[in-house]
Amino acid sequence: MGRTVSLRSDALSAEISTLGAELRALADAEGRALLWHGDPAFWTGRAPLLFPIVGELPDLTLVHEGKGHPMRRHGFARFSEFEVVEEAPDRATFRLLPSAATRAEYPFDFALEVTFALEGATLAMEAVVTNPGPGVLPASFGYHPAFLWPLPYGGTRAEHRVIFEHPEPAPIHRPVNGLLSRASEPSPAAEGVLKPDDAMFERDALIFLGLNSHRLQYGVPGRPGLDITFPGMPDLGIWTKPGAPYLCIEPWSGYATPEGDTRPFVEKPGLLHIPAGEERRFVMTVRLIPEVAA
C-alpha cells in the first residue's frame, strides 16, 4: 500500500499514499469524511491519478512505431510507487520517474510531480508533467476523486446537486467497452445544474468534452458543500456505480480513444504533445464552503 503522508490545516486534514500519490482521506476539522473510503463492495479506489492516459486504448495496447505495449485503463501512475520529495505539515510533493516497468507500457521519458497543499478550507492539487526530451511527449492527465454521496452535512442523496459555473448544453458521451462512444446524448446539465441519481449511471459515466465551466459546486443547496476548480482542464467525467455512496467528479485533460479509431498512439485524439524541455501543469482545488448555492 505504500506509506501514508498526513497533512493538516485549521479546517481540513488529508492523507496521501505514496502508492499512486493517491489522496486516501479528506476530512473537515470535526473529522467528518468528505472522501469515499474505498469499500471493495463497490470500488477500492478513492482518488487515483490518471497518467499517461485517461480511459482506455483499443485492446488495452499502446501502439508506437509499429510495436504494441500493454497499457492498463487510466495508465500506470495509480499502480506506481512515488518518491516523496517534499514533506511538511501542510504540503507534500511526490515524484514518479521512468523505470523498466513504465517503459514496458509507455516508451517515453517523463517526470511527473504532484503536490498536495492544505490552506485553511482548501486542498490544492497540482500535477506537473515534464518532458526531458529529446522528442515530443504525448500524454494525458486526469484527477478521479470520489466524494461521499451524501456529504456529511444533512440532506439526502436525491437533494445533492452539481452546479456548474456556466450552462453545459453540449451533448455528452459515454464509455463503450472502455472507449469513448461515437454516439452522443443530450446534456443532463444543459442549464448548468446536474441532479445525479442512480439511473443516470446505469450506462456508466457521463463524459463532458470541451466544457464551458472550470468551476462547480457539489452538495445540497443551502448546506455546506464543496467548491471545486480545475482551470485549464477541458474535459470532465462524472461517475458512480448505481447505489454506491460516492460521486466521482473527474477533471481531465484527455479522454479514452473513440470507438473504431485505430490510429497509432501519438495520433490519438485528446492527447497533449509536450515539446522537449517543456512542462504542463494540471490544477484541481477542493474548498469546503459553508453553503452551496441555491
Side-chain angles (χ1 to χ4, degrees), residues 51-80:
F51 176 84
I53 62 169
V54 173
E56 288 188 13
L57 302 174
D59 301 319
L60 297 175
T61 301
L62 184 157
V63 178
H64 181 61
E65 296 181 343
K67 183 179 179 181
H69 302 263
M71 173 70 75
R72 290 164 281 189
R73 174 183 289 190
H74 294 321
F76 53 74
R78 60 193 179 129
F79 304 109
S80 300

Side-chain angles (χ1 to χ4, degrees), residues 227-293:
D227 182 273
I228 297 169
T229 72
F230 40 99
M233 301 190 73
D235 311 309
L236 184 75
I238 298 182
W239 172 74
T240 192
K241 289 186 175 180
Y246 63 81
L247 189 70
C248 293
I249 298 175
E250 312 173 34
W252 299 340
S253 185
Y255 46 85
T257 301
E259 55 182 340
D261 193 313
T262 59
R263 288 175 287 180
F265 177 68
V266 295
E267 299 176 28
K268 176 187 177 299
L271 277 179
L272 293 171
H273 296 89
I274 306 173
E278 295 191 12
E279 65 184 29
R280 294 292 182 269
R281 294 175 178 267
F282 308 93
V283 174
M284 179 178 184
T285 69
V286 180
R287 179 167 63 95
L288 182 60
I289 55 176
E291 186 174 304
V292 172

Side-chain angles (χ1 to χ4, degrees), residues 24 43 50 56 71-72 84 100 115 120 133 195 198 222 229 283 287 290:
R24 302 290 292 175
W43 181 53
L50 315 183
E56 288 188 13
M71 173 70 75
R72 290 164 281 189
V84 179
T115 298
K195 301 177 181 179
D198 287 327
T229 72
V283 174
R287 179 167 63 95

Side-chain angles (χ1 to χ4, degrees), residues 2 4 6 11 26 32 38 43 56 63 72 76 79 91 104 107-108 123-124 129 159 184 192 213 229 235 245 248 250:
T4 297
S6 298
L26 181 66
R32 291 172 291 199
W43 181 53
E56 288 188 13
V63 178
R72 290 164 281 189
F76 53 74
F79 304 109
R91 66 184 291 118
F108 303 96
L123 167 66
V129 178
E159 293 176 289
S184 62
S213 305
T229 72
D235 311 309
C248 293
E250 312 173 34

Side-chain angles (χ1 to χ4, degrees), residues 166-222:
H166 303 293
E168 297 296 343
I172 67 163
H173 295 261
R174 299 273 189 172
V176 176
N177 298 321
L179 304 181
L180 183 75
S181 63
R182 292 284 186 180
S184 62
E185 60 188 74
S187 171
E191 302 302 319
V193 178
L194 179 72
K195 301 177 181 179
D197 59 50
D198 287 327
M200 188 176 287
F201 301 99
E202 288 177 354
R203 293 185 295 114
D204 212 322
L206 314 179
I207 300 175
F208 297 80
L209 301 181
L211 281 168
N212 295 321
S213 305
H214 296 284
R215 185 175 201 154
L216 57 82
Q217 292 185 2
Y218 167 62
V220 176

